[in-house]
Amino acid sequence: MPVPWTRTAAVTTAAIAVTACGAAASASPAHEASASVVDATVITEVAPSGLKVTAIAVEYDRVLKLGGTGVDVDAFDVEVDLGAGGIAPLVGERTVTAAYTSDTPDITGKQRAGRYVILELDEDDAAATASYVDWSTTITHYYDLAGGYTVAQVGDIVSPRVTVDAQPGNVVANSDVENLLIDEYASGTLATEAGPVLDYRYYTPEKSGEKKGKKYPLVVSLHGFGESGSNNFSQLAGNQISTVFASDERQLTDPAYVLSPQADPFDGTKGAWWAPQMQEAVIDLVEDFIASHPDVDTSRVYLTGLSMGSYGSWAILGEHSDLFAGAVVVCGGGVADVEAAAAELADFPIWAVHSEDDFVVDYYADGSDFRVFEAFEAAGTPVVWTEWSGLLADDTQEALAKAAVKEARHSGSEHLFTTIESGTTPIFSHLSWIPTYSNDVILDWLFDQDQDR
């Protein structure tokens, strides 16, 4: 039986009647048809540590008009039950941190009349993740989120204007998933001259209102081994190496194209980024993309890679540095001849970040980015060395990075190396990309590089 949704009637006339005893009769509240939950949409975002479910949009069968009154976060229960072959299912409760009505199934933080109640969820919940790792391959996989979340309105939604009664027996599973930012990337596939057929995703900057002839930088990102595969998704969802450049905040200051191909080490026709044919395929892709997007600013093409992607970045820069204006490499290695790399890239701007206790890509190994920067300095190329804790507050890390940029300008250095102190990398020691792509100053430095300057 439908649960009634009532609105208190406004008294629009003078007193209706007065009894002989002098008591006034009050008007009865008006009743409207019930408002029921009919569907839900799970909303994901790429957090520094990977893809998380950060909200759920609860859809009603009619518009809710609560005025400025917010929604009690305790009025909803959100449950997770996700399964994946060969691993334990992810089951748990989600913590609602904010709730408000909306006319679209989007995270806005603002209350407005609409058919949706947006429930923002705690990113630190154990069940917040949307991915899991197959440790036999170290590849990250993603849960099928469709139908994996259920939501029920277990408490009344009360405002001076309207009350939506609880409907705890009406438990609804989500029928849809919205991947914020990721869904804004287009997909492509290129049969490269180098041989591999390369899948890629790309983000196009907002151009409305821009003057005719405006040029846009291009950021090329090379993911790590864990994001390998053939889904053309993981290179965006695994961490922020790509999406940080497409975020609203970054695009506001530095509107740019973002190009993110995916490698597949388990496909003999492709390979990892350290495979020469895949490095040449990346160059083919970049050149093809520039040719098909004449508004790319060819003096401001940037390269960034982490872990396996940094191996590829070093190799690509050794042969094709003239195509790029600057690079950020994270936990890098695999450089066959550090002295030759130091000579080739003496004038090429590079900022490298590596955790000193990285147990996956050894900080001190032959061919590591640290060894390349040692070779820079040995050859007389100035280097700005910095070291800080990856657990410091973001604004503190950015202040330290800003000091490094100032020192680099003073010394005329194009090469900055940041060590993340042992024991201070978030989650575990290989993930030095978390403090890297969370640091706006490092990204600002990259966008300041320009071959025409």
Side-chain angles (χ1 to χ4, degrees):
M1 180 177 180
V3 179
W5 183 42
T6 63
R7 184 190 302 271
T8 302
V11 176
T12 58
T13 63
I16 298 173
V18 179
T19 66
C21 299
S26 59
S28 299
H31 291 267
E32 296 189 12
S34 63
S36 297
V37 176
V38 294
D39 201 359
T41 298
V42 159
I43 301 173
T44 74
E45 295 182 90
V46 182
S49 58
L51 193 67
K52 299 289 187 73
V53 175
T54 57
I56 186 166
V58 184
E59 184 179 358
Y60 285 77
D61 60 356
R62 64 195 63 248
V63 172
L64 305 182
K65 298 179 180 180
L66 306 184
T69 304
V71 178
D72 184 359
V73 296
D74 293 326
F76 290 87
D77 277 350
V78 180
E79 303 283 343
V80 184
D81 189 351
L82 300 170
I87 68 166
L90 179 65
V91 178
E93 299 179 358
R94 297 301 309 275
T95 305
V96 180
T97 60
Y100 46 88
T101 55
S102 176
D103 57 349
T104 59
D106 299 305
I107 300 173
T108 65
K110 298 178 180 179
Q111 174 107 340
R112 57 171 62 96
R115 292 169 59 94
Y116 300 92
V117 172
I118 308 302
L119 306 179
E120 296 186 14
L121 306 174
D122 190 343
E123 185 181 309
D124 294 328
D125 285 345
T129 185
S131 65
Y132 61 95
V133 177
D134 178 352
W135 290 109
S136 67
T137 61
T138 70
I139 298 298
T140 300
H141 298 271
Y142 297 87
Y143 290 106
D144 180 2
L145 297 174
Y149 271 66
T150 55
V151 60
Q153 183 194 326
V154 296
D156 293 346
I157 300 175
V158 181
S159 80
R161 301 178 61 185
V162 65
T163 294
V164 183
D165 291 340
Q167 42 194 286
N170 183 17
V171 180
V172 175
N174 71 294
S175 67
D176 199 7
V177 179
E178 180 181 356
N179 300 300
L180 294 185
L181 205 52
I182 289 178
D183 290 345
E184 298 182 37
Y185 281 70
S187 301
T189 301
L190 179 68
T192 67
E193 293 183 7
V197 177
L198 209 56
D199 294 324
Y200 62 93
R201 301 288 295 270
Y202 66 96
Y203 180 87
T204 300
E206 176 61 47
K207 301 176 185 179
S208 61
E210 296 288 355
K211 63 182 180 180
K212 187 177 181 180
K214 180 176 175 62
K215 298 284 188 176
Y216 299 90
L218 168 63
V219 180
V220 181
S221 69
L222 300 183
H223 63 80
F225 192 89
E227 292 73 59
S228 300
S230 58
N231 59 11
N232 207 11
F233 177 83
S234 297
Q235 74 269 35
L236 305 182
N239 48 62
Q240 292 184 313
I241 187 174
S242 178
T243 56
V244 71
F245 295 102
S247 68
D248 290 345
E249 296 79 11
R250 179 52 55 178
Q251 288 285 319
L252 184 64
T253 58
D254 296 296
Y257 286 99
V258 187
L259 179 61
S260 304
Q262 187 177 32
D264 190 352
F266 305 99
D267 183 339
T269 67
K270 296 182 180 181
W273 296 130
W274 47 67
Q277 72 272 15
M278 287 295 278
Q279 296 157 15
E280 289 303 316
V282 170
I283 297 303
D284 289 346
L285 175 62
V286 173
E287 292 177 341
D288 179 82
F289 191 86
I290 291 172
S292 60
H293 295 81
D295 59 346
V296 168
D297 184 348
T298 56
S299 71
R300 299 182 66 204
V301 179
Y302 307 116
L303 181 63
T304 187
L306 64 83
S307 195
M308 178 183 74
S310 71
Y311 280 63
S313 296
W314 279 114
I316 287 170
L317 293 174
E319 298 291 331
H320 301 281
S321 62
D322 58 333
L323 187 59
F324 302 95
V328 171
V329 294
V330 187
C331 51
V335 181
D337 187 335
V338 296
E339 286 78 15
E344 174 65 31
L345 300 171
D347 298 320
F348 184 83
I350 305 175
W351 195 324
V353 182
H354 206 148
S355 299
E356 187 175 15
D357 58 344
D358 191 328
F359 72 92
V360 177
V361 178
D362 188 350
Y363 178 95
Y364 294 104
D366 292 342
S368 69
D369 42 27
F370 172 71
R371 296 304 185 193
V372 179
F373 273 70
E374 280 190 326
F376 280 134
E377 196 163 63
T381 302
V383 173
V384 173
W385 299 93
T386 55
E387 182 173 352
W388 61 69
S389 166
L391 300 177
L392 293 172
D394 285 350
D395 58 352
T396 303
Q397 294 189 58
E398 289 173 359
L400 293 167
K402 191 173 292 185
V405 171
K406 184 177 180 180
E407 181 182 345
R409 288 173 180 163
H410 179 75
S411 65
S413 175
E414 302 279 12
H415 302 88
L416 299 88
F417 191 98
T418 297
T419 300
I420 303 301
E421 296 171 351
S422 294
T424 70
T425 307
I427 304 179
F428 66 91
S429 65
H430 187 46
L431 307 190
S432 48
W433 53 81
I434 292 179
T436 300
Y437 297 111
S438 297
N439 194 310
D440 284 331
V441 175
I442 294 177
L443 307 187
D444 291 342
W445 172 89
L446 183 63
F447 278 102
D448 282 343
Q449 308 312 310
D450 191 329
Q451 287 182 330
D452 289 344
R453 292 178 184 172

